[in-house]
Amino acid sequence: MINVALIGCGYWGINYVRVFSEIPEAQIVLACDASEERLRVVRERYPLIQTTANYEEALNSRHVDAAIVATDAFSHYQIARQCLMSGKHVLVEKPLATDVSDSESLIQVADEQKRILMVGHTFLYNAGVRKMKELVSRDDFGRIYYVHATRTNMGPVRHDVNAVWDLASHDIAIFNYLLDAQPVWVSAVGSKVLGGEQEDVAFATLGYLNEVIANIHASWLDPNKVRGVVVVGSQRRIVFDDLNNVERVRIYEKGVSPAPMEADSFGEFRLLVRDGDIISPRVEASEPLRNVTAHFVECVASGSRPLTDGYDGLHVVKVMSAIQGSMNLRGAPVTVG
Ligand SMILES: NC(=O)c1ccc[n+]([C@@H]2O[C@H](COP(=O)([O-])OP(=O)(O)OC[C@H]3O[C@@H](n4cnc5c(N)ncnc54)[C@H](O)[C@@H]3O)[C@@H](O)[C@H]2O)c1
């Protein structure tokens, strides 16, 4: 049995208590949160779990094998580092850290301590995103031209990080996964519409090799809740809508291709919209967070490398840092380090 401490039992973290209760090989033995109010909520729902306001109790406990870090983004580095140094395996929520060098340092500590470091890039454990990956990898998809993502909603507004660090991290992780690559450059603009110190809305363009471009619209003050990704390829197009439980993924066979050539007066290629089917493939119903958790437990038990390991987290942090740099320069292109 793998004994786990949960550090951070807020809006998101408390979900781990539920999903761990469905995984027989592991259990949460200690829930830590600086807020007494959050600990009370845990105790009310899960009376058998021990709680503490001081997460260092988890570090010092020989009965704790692993920790989930689901605190505010700015504290990820320090808490994850302490956990690794104490010999615990760590699953840290996205983003891995808020800085490239901190992310690199976590990878190094995990290597030195021979412990698993995994990042909660939940969408890579989403069955719809897995289906997209399967589809774009097939020969009949053709070449990927571009990808775009919309991640908007009215709130929740965060005060620790901006909308890019909070929301776009998911889309960057998805793009890198689908394209099996890291962007070379980014150009982004953002706006601090609510008068705070953080960008509340951002439009970021990412340039990958082979002229593949990608775009993200992230906002926490948009009237529509959208969680969507579109992949446009030479033979097919895919629409992923995470809020659509009936048709999470749609494949459009309709496309644009050269018309059978007839000599016309301009001697040019004519491109015609070609008709085709719209297909909704079956996407298995599964909870992404449960898949994340099961994968972490499996990696801890077997010593295998997580799909979203420290390097995956670092790649996403590098892109977000470049996006932040470009936003600071009002959209000037920035090379991804
Ligand atoms: N993977 C996903 O889909 C997903 C979704 C939402 C949030 N998240 C991530 O989860 C993390 C938490 O987000 P949230 O929405 O639950 O935030 P939240 O503010 O609701 O919860 C954070 C909790 O951490 C606690 N905390 C902060 N510092 C602490 C410390 N030093 N010691 C103990 N407790 C501490 C706070 O008291 C709070 O209860 C963030 O990193 C966020 O990016 C991931």
Side-chain angles (χ1 to χ4, degrees), residues 302-321:
S302 65
S304 50
R305 188 171 210 109
L307 169 70
T308 50
D309 63 1
Y311 288 97
D312 191 56
L314 168 66
H315 292 150
V316 173
V317 169
K318 280 186 174 176
V319 178
M320 290 192 295
S321 300

Side-chain angles (χ1 to χ4, degrees), residues 2-322:
I2 296 166
N3 291 329
V4 181
L6 171 64
I7 306 177
C9 310
Y11 155 76
W12 187 247
I14 200 161
N15 292 318
Y16 278 101
V17 190
R18 177 177 49 77
V19 294
F20 264 99
S21 69
E22 296 165 9
I23 293 178
E25 300 84 9
Q27 59 182 353
I28 292 199
V29 291
L30 186 60
C32 321
D33 201 294
S35 152
E36 183 48 42
E37 169 58 22
R38 292 309 299 169
L39 293 178
R40 196 178 52 75
V41 174
V42 174
R43 283 194 296 270
E44 273 173 14
R45 290 194 208 167
Y46 307 97
L48 297 181
I49 293 182
Q50 220 189 311
T51 59
T52 176
N54 179 6
Y55 70 84
E56 300 205 355
E57 262 185 50
L59 309 179
N60 299 329
S61 167
R62 282 190 296 111
H63 303 297
V64 171
D65 308 300
I68 311 289
V69 180
T71 54
D72 313 69
F74 269 104
S75 59
H76 288 181
Y77 167 66
Q78 190 212 329
I79 298 177
R81 186 183 162 84
Q82 279 179 285
C83 292
L84 289 167
M85 295 292 281
S86 308
K88 316 297 180 200
H89 301 282
V90 174
L91 165 54
V92 56
E93 257 311 327
K94 58 84 194 166
L96 172 59
T98 49
D99 183 88
V100 171
S101 62
D102 287 352
S103 308
E104 287 168 342
S105 156
L106 288 179
I107 293 172
Q108 193 186 338
V109 178
D111 278 353
E112 285 165 5
Q113 296 290 325
K114 298 193 171 34
R115 289 295 177 269
I116 300 290
L117 172 61
M118 176 167 154
V119 190
H121 287 155
T122 326
F123 276 83
L124 303 201
Y125 301 85
N126 179 304
V129 172
R130 292 282 176 100
K131 177 59 79 177
M132 277 202 291
K133 175 73 176 170
E134 180 194 316
L135 293 167
V136 301
S137 306
R138 280 178 13 190
D139 288 343
D140 63 6
F141 189 78
R143 189 166 86 76
I144 295 180
Y145 289 149
Y146 69 88
V147 193
H148 69 88
T150 310
R151 193 169 294 270
T152 57
N153 196 12
M154 188 68 79
V157 178
R158 288 191 173 272
H159 303 287
D160 54 339
V161 288
N162 64 22
V164 168
W165 285 85
D166 182 33
L167 303 171
S169 52
H170 288 304
D171 302 304
I172 297 163
I174 295 172
F175 291 174
N176 287 0
Y177 174 63
L178 293 180
L179 298 168
D180 229 340
Q182 171 83 336
V184 179
W185 57 266
V186 301
S187 165
V189 285
S191 187
K192 299 169 185 173
V193 187
L194 300 179
E197 292 187 354
Q198 313 279 9
E199 285 82 359
D200 307 293
V201 55
F203 298 87
T205 301
L206 290 62
Y208 289 80
L209 285 177
N210 301 320
E211 303 297 317
V212 178
I213 50 172
N215 190 269
I216 303 169
H217 171 202
S219 169
W220 54 41
L221 44 86
D222 208 272
N224 292 319
K225 178 166 184 172
V226 183
R227 298 283 181 261
V229 176
V230 177
V231 188
V232 175
S234 53
Q235 303 297 321
R236 305 260 190 288
R237 280 130 288 276
I238 302 173
V239 175
F240 164 72
D241 177 358
D242 197 39
L243 304 182
N244 186 337
N245 288 330
V246 182
E247 293 181 304
R248 187 153 295 169
V249 174
R250 271 172 291 153
I251 308 162
Y252 289 71
E253 293 190 333
K254 193 173 170 167
V256 177
S257 47
M261 271 313 285
E262 289 165 23
D264 64 21
S265 52
F266 303 105
E268 286 173 343
F269 247 118
R270 291 207 307 155
L271 293 171
L272 289 185
V273 172
R274 125 176 85 72
D275 216 354
D277 291 332
I278 302 171
I279 300 162
S280 311
R282 200 178 73 83
V283 175
E284 94 187 64
S286 67
E287 184 185 354
L289 190 67
R290 191 190 182 286
N291 301 340
V292 167
T293 308
H295 184 60
F296 177 62
V297 168
E298 191 189 312
C299 290
V300 169
S302 65
S304 50
R305 188 171 210 109
L307 169 70
T308 50
D309 63 1
Y311 288 97
D312 191 56
L314 168 66
H315 292 150
V316 173
V317 169
K318 280 186 174 176
V319 178
M320 290 192 295
S321 300

